[in-house]
C-alpha cells in the first residue's frame, strides 16, 4: 500500500474514551490507515480506583494501564506529547515537542482540565486531581513520606462524586500517615453530589459526619494560607485538593472547531464534531449538541465502542452508530472503608457488598486492558519520549 493512499488517523488522548478504540484496532486492523496515539503520558490511571489507592486498598500498579503495549497491538505509533493546538480546517495538530502532526481523521479525547482559577493564589498548597498521574506522584511526595511532615489540614474543594470519594479516602490515608489531623470538604450545597438521588446524598453526608470530615457548604477562593469561604469563614489548609470539575482545554478556543460557550467540543450523537466531519470527540472534552450528558468515566468508556465503529465507518467499513446512554446509570460511591453506596435508578443501598461489586467491576475493567496479547502486524514502537 502506498503511503499517499493511506489515511492518517490520529487518536489524541490515551484515557478512558480511547481504550475501546485501541482494543478495536488490535482485534481488527483499520483498512488502509496509518495510526497514531498522541498522549501526555505512557500510563493512564483508571480514575474509579484512585480513591481506593489513596485509602491503601490498591497498589499503583493495580490501576495503571500501560498504553505502550496497547498501542503496539493496535498498530498505532505512540507519540508521548501534549496536543497544544489544533487547526481543524488544515487538519493539523501542534504538539508540545514542536512538531506538527497532519491527519485525515482525528479523534479527540484529551479529557478536561481541573479548573483551579479561583484557588490559584494558594500556590504550593494546591493539588489538582488532574492530570491524574501527576496527582498520584504529587500525593506520594506530600503524604507518603517518612521524613517530611505530612499536611495536618487537608481540604477537598468540590462536592461531585470524585471530591466526596477523595475526602473519604484522604481521611483514611491521612490518619494512617499522620495520626491526628483534619479533613474537610468545601462545596456549594446545591453541587453536593448533584444529579444523585437524595438518599445517596443523605447517606454520604451521614458517612462524612461519622468520619469527622467537616462539610462547608460555600464557594471557596484560594488565599496564601488556605481558603476564604463565601460565608466569610477562613479555612486554614496545608493541602488543598482541587476536585472542582472539568474545564475545556484552552487551546480548543483557537481551533476553529464548533465549541459551546464554555469551550467544549460540540458533537452530535455519532460523536462527530458538528462543524468538521473529519473530527470526532468523546469523554470530558465534549458537550452533546442534542442532549445533556454529564461528564463521567461511564459515558467516556461507553462512547468508546461507538467512536471505534464510527472511525471505521468514516474509512468506509461498517455503519455509523449513535451513542445512546442508558436510561439509568449504575453509581457506586466508595466510602473509604471497603463500603460503598450503590444506586441504580430508584434502588439505593449501602454496605460491603456494594464495595465488592465496585472492586470487581473496576479490577475487571483494568484487567481487560492490561492482559497481554500479540502485536498486530505493522505495529510500531514509541517514537518520541518524555521522561
Ligand atoms: C479522582 C477521580 C475519580 C473519578 N471516579 C469516577 C468514577 O468512579 N466513575 C466515573 O464514571 N467517573 C469518574 N471520574 C471521572 C472520569 O475520570 C472522567 O470522566 C473520565 O476520565 C473522562 O475520560 P476521558 O477519556 O475524556 O479523559 P481521561 O480519562 O482523563 O483521559 C485523557 C487522556 O488524555 C491525555 N491528555 C491530556 N491532555 C492532553 C493533551 N493536551 N495532549 C495529549 N494528551 C493529553 C491524558 O494523559 C489521558 O491519557 C473520576 C474522576 C476523578 C478525578
Amino acid at each position: 500500500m502506498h503511503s499517499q493512499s493511506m489515511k492518517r488517523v490520529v487518536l489524541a488522548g490515551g484515557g478512558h474514551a480511547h481504550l475501546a478504540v485501541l482494543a478495536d484496532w488490535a482485534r481488527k486492523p483499520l483498512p488502509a490507515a496509518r495510526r497514531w496515539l498522541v498522549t501526555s503520558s505512557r500510563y493512564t490511571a483508571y480514575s474509579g480506583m484512585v480513591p481506593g489507592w489513596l485509602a491503601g486498598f490498591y497498589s499503583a500498579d493495580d490501576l495503571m494501564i500501560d498504553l505502550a503495549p496497547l498501542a503496539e497491538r493496535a498498530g498505532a505509533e505512540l507519540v508521548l506529547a501534549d496536543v497544544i493546538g489544533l487547526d481543524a480546517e488544515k487538519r493539523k495538530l501542534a504538539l508540545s515537542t514542536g512538531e506538527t502532526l497532519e491527519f485525515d481523521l482525528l479523534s479527540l479525547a484529551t479529557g478536561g482540565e481541573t479548573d483551579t482559577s479561583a484557588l490559584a493564589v494558594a500556590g504550593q498548597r494546591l493539588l489538582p486531581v488532574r492530570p491524574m498521574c501527576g496527582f498520584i506522584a504529587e500525593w506520594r511526595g506530600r503524604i507518603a513520606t517518612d521524613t517530611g511532615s505530612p499536611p495536618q489540614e487537608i481540604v477537598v474543594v468540590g462536592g461531585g462524586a470524585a471530591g466526596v470519594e477523595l475526602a473519604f479516602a484522604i481521611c483514611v490515608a491521612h490518619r494512617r500517615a499522620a495520626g491526628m489531623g483534619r479533613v474537610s470538604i468545601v462545596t456549594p450545597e446545591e453541587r453536593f453530589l448533584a444529579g444523585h438521588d437524595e438518599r445517596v446524598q443523605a447517606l454520604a453526608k451521614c458517612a462524612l459526619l461519622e468520619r469527622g470530615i467537616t462539610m462547608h457548604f460555600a464557594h471557596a477562593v484560594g488565599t496564601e494560607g488556605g481558603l476564604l469561604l463565601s460565608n466569610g469563614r477562613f479555612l486554614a489548609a496545608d493541602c488543598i485538593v482541587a476536585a472542582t470539575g472539568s474545564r475545556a482545554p484552552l487551546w480548543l478556543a483557537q481551533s476553529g472547531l464548533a465549541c459551546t460557550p464554555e469551550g467544549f467540543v460540540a458533537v452530535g450523537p455519532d460523536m462527530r464534531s458538528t462543524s468538521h466531519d473529519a473530527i470526532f470527540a468523546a469523554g470530558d472534552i465534549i458537550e452533546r449538541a442534542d442532549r445533556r450528558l454529564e461528564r463521567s468515566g461511564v459515558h467516556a468508556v461507553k462512547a468508546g465502542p461507538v467512536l471505534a465503529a464510527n472511525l471505521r465507518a468514516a474509512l468506509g467499513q461498517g455503519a455509523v452508530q449513535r451513542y445512546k446512554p442508558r436510561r439509568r446509570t449504575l453509581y457506586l460511591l466508595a466510602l473509604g472503608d471497603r463500603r460503598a453506596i450503590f444506586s441504580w435508578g430508584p434502588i439505593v443501598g449501602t454496605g460491603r457488598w456494594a464495595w465488592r461489586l465496585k472492586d470487581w467491576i473496576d479490577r475487571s475493567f483494568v484487567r481487560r486492558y492490561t492482559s497481554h496479547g500479540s502485536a498486530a502486524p505493522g505495529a510500531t514502537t514509541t517514537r518520541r519520549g518524555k521522561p
Side-chain angles (χ1 to χ4, degrees), residues 182 184 214-216 218-221 223 226-236:
R182 207 163 29 204
S184 321
T214 318
M215 284 170 272
H216 298 275
H219 287 273
V221 176
T223 68
L227 295 166
L228 189 61
L229 308 189
S230 51
N231 57 18
R233 278 194 65 173
F234 173 74
L235 213 55

Side-chain angles (χ1 to χ4, degrees), residues 106-369:
L106 169 68
S107 179
L108 273 180
T110 53
E113 296 173 355
T114 303
D115 185 359
T116 54
S117 47
L119 306 172
V121 181
Q124 293 296 313
R125 293 163 200 266
L126 199 56
L127 182 51
V129 292
R130 290 185 179 282
M132 238 171 301
C133 289
F135 170 74
I136 288 172
E138 188 58 24
W139 180 262
R140 277 179 166 147
R142 291 195 194 195
I143 279 277
T145 165
D146 296 332
T147 48
S149 49
Q152 288 298 300
E153 300 277 353
I154 304 187
V155 184
V156 177
V157 182
V164 173
E165 282 196 344
L166 287 171
F168 283 121
I170 285 169
C171 186
V172 175
H174 195 213
R175 293 207 171 130
R176 204 180 38 231
M180 296 299 286
R182 207 163 29 204
V183 179
S184 321
I185 182 165
V186 182
T187 174
E189 186 154 21
E190 69 279 9
R191 293 208 209 135
F192 180 79
L193 295 177
H196 290 259
D197 190 286
E198 278 176 15
R199 288 165 296 166
V200 173
Q201 296 169 349
L203 283 166
K205 279 183 189 168
C206 227
L208 287 165
L209 278 174
E210 273 172 20
R211 308 294 156 75
I213 301 171
T214 318
M215 284 170 272
H216 298 275
F217 291 127
H219 287 273
V221 176
T223 68
E224 282 177 11
L227 295 166
L228 189 61
L229 308 189
S230 51
N231 57 18
R233 278 194 65 173
F234 173 74
L235 213 55
D238 306 314
C239 176
I240 299 165
V241 176
T244 39
S246 277
R247 174 180 81 180
L250 298 177
W251 51 262
L252 274 175
Q254 315 296 326
S255 67
L257 268 183
C259 290
T260 62
E262 295 77 33
F264 294 98
V265 181
V267 298
D270 55 357
M271 315 310 290
R272 196 187 277 254
S273 152
T274 55
S275 59
H276 291 78
D277 276 356
I279 299 177
F280 292 81
D284 283 5
I285 203 173
I286 65 146
E287 185 90 49
R288 280 272 291 261
D290 58 321
R291 58 169 297 155
R292 216 194 83 74
L293 202 64
E294 66 179 293
R295 287 190 184 84
S296 78
V298 172
H299 293 308
V301 166
K302 294 208 181 289
V306 174
L307 211 49
N310 292 350
L311 287 169
R312 279 189 189 282
L315 292 166
Q317 191 180 67
V320 172
Q321 292 184 14
R322 293 165 161 243
Y323 173 53
K324 283 191 227 110
R326 292 198 185 129
R327 204 160 60 85
R328 289 176 182 168
T329 304
L330 169 67
Y331 292 106
L332 289 155
L333 191 86
L335 298 177
D337 58 354
R338 295 188 197 272
R339 289 187 307 135
I341 302 172
F342 168 103
S343 70
W344 189 66
I347 307 164
V348 174
T350 184
R352 286 185 180 271
W353 59 272
W355 160 262
R356 282 198 292 272
L357 176 63
K358 176 172 169 52
D359 179 56
W360 178 77
I361 292 172
D362 290 351
R363 283 185 190 271
S364 309
F365 182 85
V366 173
R367 210 175 304 124
R368 200 182 313 157
Y369 296 105

Side-chain angles (χ1 to χ4, degrees), residues 5-47:
S5 58
M6 298 273 276
K7 294 282 186 199
R8 297 158 301 178
V9 185
V10 176
L11 301 183
H16 295 62
H18 275 158
L19 293 171
V21 179
L22 290 168
D24 175 73
W25 291 0
R27 267 193 304 273
K28 190 176 165 196
L30 285 181
R34 263 195 85 182
R35 288 147 266 175
W36 287 265
L37 169 64
V38 184
T39 191
S40 311
S41 157
R42 175 173 165 171
Y43 295 92
T44 209
Y46 179 57
S47 62

